[in-house]
Amino acid sequence: LISSPGIEGKLLKAVDSWKPILEKEEEKILAHIGTSKEIHNPFIFGNPVEKTENNRFVGRRDIVKKIEENLIRAEHTPTLFLYGARRMGKSSVLNQLPRLLGKDFIPVDIDLQSAALTENLTGLLSGLSEEIAKRLHQRYIRVEALTRENLSNSPYSVFEKWLDKVQNLLPESNKILLALDEYEKLEEAIKSGKIGIEILDE
């Protein structure tokens, strides 16, 4: 506490001199608030970020780099497992692989939530060939997908021969990467007997 003759009067004068300045600044701030707009939050919650050139997908570069390193260094084709809690962005990462991986990789994302893919073996193999063919068409490599009729007899043998044909059409440096989303649906189909466990050997 400061006690001095006349100090109270000096303080009151100082307050009176500053009050108009503060009120003026307050008016400016309130006027600015009235004209400002809320900044849109680009974070997309719920649905995976789709694979477009102009999307707002950011981050996860460390995951993509790990995937690329494993693919480049492996002597034999590796199986990679991307895991995490729900809504962590796993499907978004898979969707972005065609845009983020090097040009030598051809990611083919397969959504196993589709009932047609997991109802039986022919449905799965024909669906896989269809998605691979679509991705190759985007690279101007033409190949016909297998139909269920093609796979009605000796489906594994037919599918392996088709893959050999696809491999021969690709430039030597290109590699197809199957990205299976919702992988547990395939596990459920195997446990229920819809698809044989032999598919895991393919």
Side-chain angles (χ1 to χ4, degrees), residues 137-192:
H137 286 180
Q138 294 174 1
R139 300 278 186 113
Y140 304 103
I141 300 172
R142 303 295 176 184
V143 61
E144 291 297 321
L146 294 171
T147 64
R148 290 172 181 259
E149 289 72 22
N150 297 145
L151 294 159
S152 57
N153 294 314
S154 303
Y156 288 122
S157 176
V158 172
F159 188 68
E160 286 179 2
K161 288 179 181 177
W162 183 83
L163 287 178
D164 289 340
K165 178 182 176 182
V166 168
Q167 189 64 45
N168 291 331
L169 292 172
L170 294 177
E172 188 175 347
S173 62
N174 282 183
K175 294 181 178 66
I176 293 176
L177 173 63
L178 284 181
L180 305 180
D181 197 11
E182 302 294 340
Y183 181 77
E184 64 272 14
K185 297 297 181 182
L186 179 58
E187 181 182 10
E188 291 172 8
I190 292 173
K191 286 182 177 179
S192 66

Side-chain angles (χ1 to χ4, degrees), residues 43-48 60 84-90:
F43 176 72
I44 299 173
F45 177 80
N47 295 325
R60 302 293 194 266
R86 295 186 65 82
R87 306 304 180 193
M88 290 294 289
K90 300 185 296 297

Side-chain angles (χ1 to χ4, degrees), residues 80-100:
L80 306 177
F81 186 58
L82 181 62
Y83 66 93
R86 295 186 65 82
R87 306 304 180 193
M88 290 294 289
K90 300 185 296 297
S91 296
S92 294
V93 170
L94 295 183
N95 285 347
Q96 303 306 311
L97 290 180
R99 189 168 64 88
L100 299 177

Side-chain angles (χ1 to χ4, degrees), residues 35-138:
T35 58
S36 63
K37 295 181 180 179
E38 182 180 355
I39 298 174
H40 175 66
N41 184 355
F43 176 72
I44 299 173
F45 177 80
N47 295 325
V49 180
E50 296 301 325
K51 45 182 178 290
T52 61
E53 290 297 327
N54 300 317
N55 64 47
R56 295 189 178 94
F57 182 83
V58 296
R60 302 293 194 266
R61 296 282 177 172
D62 55 333
I63 296 175
V64 176
K65 186 178 180 182
K66 276 286 186 185
I67 293 173
E68 192 169 21
E69 286 176 353
N70 276 275
L71 294 173
I72 291 173
R73 294 176 181 175
E75 293 183 8
H76 303 287
T77 305
T79 299
L80 306 177
F81 186 58
L82 181 62
Y83 66 93
R86 295 186 65 82
R87 306 304 180 193
M88 290 294 289
K90 300 185 296 297
S91 296
S92 294
V93 170
L94 295 183
N95 285 347
Q96 303 306 311
L97 290 180
R99 189 168 64 88
L100 299 177
L101 283 178
K103 63 180 180 179
D104 288 340
F105 299 105
I106 307 175
V108 181
D109 50 303
I110 312 290
D111 186 0
L112 291 174
Q113 287 193 103
S114 170
L117 286 172
T118 54
E119 63 180 354
N120 52 43
L121 179 61
T122 56
L124 176 62
L125 296 181
S126 64
L128 290 176
S129 72
E130 183 177 346
E131 293 301 322
I132 292 171
K134 284 180 184 177
R135 185 66 65 199
L136 293 180
H137 286 180
Q138 294 174 1

